Amino acid sequence: DSLYLKAQSQVQSQDRAGAKETLQKLVEQHPEHALAHNDYAVLAYESGDKDHALIHYQMAVSVNPENVLFLKNLADFYWCEQNNSHAAMELYVRILKEDPSDVEAILGCGQICIALGRHEDARDFVERAKTLDPCSEVAERMSQQLDGQQQTPKLPSGRDALYREAKSKAAQNDV
């Protein structure tokens, strides 16, 4: 599509505001263009327009629910911007069901577990990530953060099941 190519060119020439406008036109004309929704969401987020970023991250996933990049972007938004650990973890688990070796999704689960005080579970995620990517600086920092931490109480049963499932998928390469 010519509008998408125009937006890419605008981004490359550092005209991010122009690219955002072009992508907005594109998603209005072609609401099924998942990549345009995702790219628009990224630019909206960068410009501080978090409401539109969320809407378009969700649209990208709605149009193309199997795209791992779209799932990660939405999960990251839920976690980092909304502190919605449950919604983020659900998306990371979806990713791990398809690819149990996705280090970013594994570390996302680990970060959520750390924040929720689930240090034993977090350590399992971090160790799995380090096995898959021994040079991961993020995994190493998380491992250092976990050193000396103690196990904390369980979460409510629904969330416990979700964490156990994510942990199992990541740790056992269970597809």
Side-chain angles (χ1 to χ4, degrees):
D1 188 84
S2 63
L3 282 177
Y4 189 76
L5 293 174
K6 178 181 178 183
Q8 285 182 315
S9 175
Q10 289 170 310
V11 167
Q12 289 174 354
S13 66
Q14 303 303 314
D15 180 11
R16 297 177 94 64
K20 184 179 169 192
E21 289 178 24
T22 301
L23 288 168
Q24 184 175 4
K25 290 177 191 172
L26 178 57
V27 297
E28 288 170 359
Q29 293 174 10
H30 300 282
E32 75 288 353
H33 200 302
L35 187 56
H37 281 290
N38 184 75
D39 292 355
Y40 179 83
V42 169
L43 294 172
Y45 181 79
E46 287 177 358
S47 69
D49 186 357
K50 295 177 184 177
D51 291 337
H52 280 107
L54 174 59
I55 290 167
H56 289 277
Y57 282 136
Q58 291 171 329
M59 288 296 300
V61 168
S62 175
V63 172
N64 189 346
E66 304 302 317
N67 186 296
V68 172
L69 174 64
F70 303 164
L71 291 169
K72 285 181 192 176
N73 285 348
L74 182 56
D76 290 346
F77 188 92
Y78 283 151
W79 175 235
C80 297
E81 290 302 322
Q82 296 186 325
N83 200 29
N84 187 340
S85 59
H86 189 72
M89 186 64 86
E90 284 180 349
L91 293 174
Y92 289 134
V93 168
R94 276 177 58 185
I95 294 165
L96 292 173
K97 282 182 180 179
E98 295 301 317
D99 181 6
S101 64
D102 189 304
V103 173
E104 290 176 4
I106 292 168
L107 290 174
C109 291
Q111 289 172 340
I112 291 170
C113 289
I114 289 171
L116 296 176
R118 305 270 313 188
H119 298 129
E120 186 177 314
D121 291 336
R123 188 170 302 283
D124 290 341
F125 284 118
V126 170
E127 291 305 315
R128 178 68 182 143
K130 287 171 67 174
T131 298
L132 293 167
D133 183 2
C135 298
S136 171
E137 293 178 17
V138 174
E140 185 56 37
R141 282 194 306 271
M142 289 172 67
S143 182
Q144 291 171 2
Q145 181 180 358
L146 286 166
D147 286 345
Q149 299 291 335
Q150 296 185 15
Q151 184 177 0
T152 56
K154 297 177 104 181
L155 293 172
S157 62
R159 289 189 178 182
D160 257 351
L162 187 59
Y163 291 109
R164 282 194 306 273
E165 181 180 1
K167 183 176 163 182
S168 173
K169 299 288 182 200
Q172 299 174 13
N173 266 342
D174 180 17
V175 177

